[in-house]
């Protein structure tokens, strides 16, 4: 979708194995970075779906912190133009397992990105829901 005017809307995501759906609004913010709070404790897993809104490839820097503010890891995610990638933090970054904290995603100079947070119960629960992404 390309426009010179403002738009609004939402996307519906579904998780077919258990028939759950979640809706999220279109991303219209243009911050320098996004912040996702994560909680990978008590059978929960936090994930994120990133999308590159630009036609150019992008490298998104992710700074991962624990709940005490300690930097656990700095990494980058490569996204082709108009591509998306979904990751589960405690699977992709095992140093977040059984921890709480936040991940700061820096918006690359190549153009805007968009993302949603995802929370999944992994022990005795199948609930999947979206969680808000903050801006900085």
């Amino acid at each position: 979708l390309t426009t010179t005017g403002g738009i609004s809307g939402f996307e519906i995501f579904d998780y077919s194995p258990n028939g759950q759906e979640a809706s999220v609004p279109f991303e219209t913010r243009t911050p320098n970075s996004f912040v996702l709070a994560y909680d990978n404790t008590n059978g929960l897993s936090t994930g994120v779906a990133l999308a590159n809104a630009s036609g150019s490839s992008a490298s998104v820097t992710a700074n991962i912190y624990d709940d005490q503010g300690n930097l656990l890891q700095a990494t980058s995610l490569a996204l082709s133009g108009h591509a998306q990638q979904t990751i589960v933090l405690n699977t992709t970054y095992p140093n977040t397992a059984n921890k709480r904290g936040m991940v700061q995603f820096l918006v690359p100079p190549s153009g805007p990105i968009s993302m949603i947070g995802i929370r999944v119960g992994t022990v005795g629960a199948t609930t999947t829901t979206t969680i808000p992404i903050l801006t900085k």
Side-chain angles (χ1 to χ4, degrees), residues 5 14 18-20 23 31 33 40 46 49-50 61 63 68 74 77 80-81 88 90 102 107 112 116 125 136:
D14 77 272
N18 62 12
Q20 289 187 292
S23 64
S33 66
N40 293 333
T46 305
L50 295 97
T61 299
N63 296 316
Q68 301 298 308
L77 303 154
S80 299
V88 177
N90 60 349
M102 66 166 232
V107 176
I116 61 168
K136 184 173 179 186

Side-chain angles (χ1 to χ4, degrees), residues 44-136:
L44 296 173
S45 292
T46 305
V48 63
L50 295 97
N52 181 358
S54 169
S56 302
S57 54
S59 179
V60 179
T61 299
N63 296 316
I64 304 169
Y65 299 89
D66 65 15
D67 60 358
Q68 301 298 308
N70 300 306
L71 180 65
L72 299 177
Q73 182 174 351
T75 188
S76 63
L77 303 154
L79 290 173
S80 299
H82 299 295
Q84 68 85 26
Q85 181 177 1
T86 302
I87 59 172
V88 177
L89 294 177
N90 60 349
T91 302
T92 305
Y93 307 112
N95 54 354
T96 67
N98 300 309
K99 293 184 182 173
R100 294 182 181 103
M102 66 166 232
V103 184
Q104 179 183 26
F105 297 92
L106 303 177
V107 176
S110 60
I113 58 173
S114 181
M115 59 186 59
I116 61 168
I118 304 165
R119 184 173 131 158
V120 180
T122 55
V123 177
T126 57
T127 301
T128 301
T129 189
T130 57
I131 54 177
I133 301 282
L134 308 173
T135 60
K136 184 173 179 186

